[in-house]
Amino acid sequence: MSDIRTDNRAAGTGVRTDASAKPTASAAPTHSGAPTIPAPCTIAWGCEQPERFPNIVFLLIDDMGFNDMGYQSTDMEPFTPTMNNLAAEGIKLSNYYSQSACTPSRAALLTGVYPTSSGMFHSTVTSDTPIGVPLHLVMLPQYLKRAANYSTHAVGKWDVGHFTDHFLPHNRGFDTFFGY
């Protein structure tokens, strides 16, 4: 009798596999024409070494000037030692600009789509505004989960749709959300 198990780790695929089989280049199923992303190799599949992916901390601060904080400032540097350290040891994207308002900035970051293409070019989406980032657009945390089973968390202002439960962070790929 062969040992058959269900593997639900890789993007919830529920693929039945023979326990002695090693992973192949097959990928998790996709929807809405999203790119195919291979499932990560794990120790449970008998791989010699599990894949390790870097931690990702992405800070989006909209409506801020170049000299308004830390390592770029001549007078604010002493007040932001943690930010200065992150900038010194991480990757700085210094020639990128956010939109002038909350909703378009967040929508562009989370979807990789220009706000005019996603319909999120408004100034701010409030709790009683009946719109949000279209549900057919896959968001960054959903891609990270699919690609490498990342744990995803968001802190701060959402502002990309909260009129119904479908648009909230926990339904758009985030494991946890602390904010408003």
Side-chain angles (χ1 to χ4, degrees), residues 79-100:
F79 303 110
T80 57
T82 302
M83 298 284 280
N84 299 345
N85 190 38
L86 284 170
E89 295 182 16
I91 298 171
K92 294 180 282 197
L93 304 177
S94 59
N95 290 324
Y96 298 86
Y97 302 94
S98 69
Q99 303 293 315
S100 61

Side-chain angles (χ1 to χ4, degrees), residues 135 139 142 158 164-174:
L135 298 175
M139 289 193 166
Q142 293 166 310
W158 182 240
T164 67
D165 195 49
H166 302 297
F167 294 101
L168 296 178
H170 66 278
N171 286 319
R172 300 307 299 264
F174 286 104

Side-chain angles (χ1 to χ4, degrees), residues 92-158:
K92 294 180 282 197
L93 304 177
S94 59
N95 290 324
Y96 298 86
Y97 302 94
S98 69
Q99 303 293 315
S100 61
C102 309
T103 296
S105 295
R106 284 163 180 73
L109 171 68
L110 291 169
T111 64
V113 175
Y114 284 115
T116 52
S117 298
S118 68
M120 302 305 295
F121 51 87
H122 316 25
S123 60
T124 302
V125 172
T126 60
S127 62
D128 60 345
T129 307
I131 62 169
V133 170
L135 298 175
H136 73 275
L137 292 176
V138 180
M139 289 193 166
L140 179 62
Q142 293 166 310
Y143 280 117
L144 291 172
K145 284 186 167 304
R146 230 185 261 158
N149 201 25
Y150 269 94
S151 176
T152 57
H153 310 278
V155 176
K157 193 163 44 169
W158 182 240

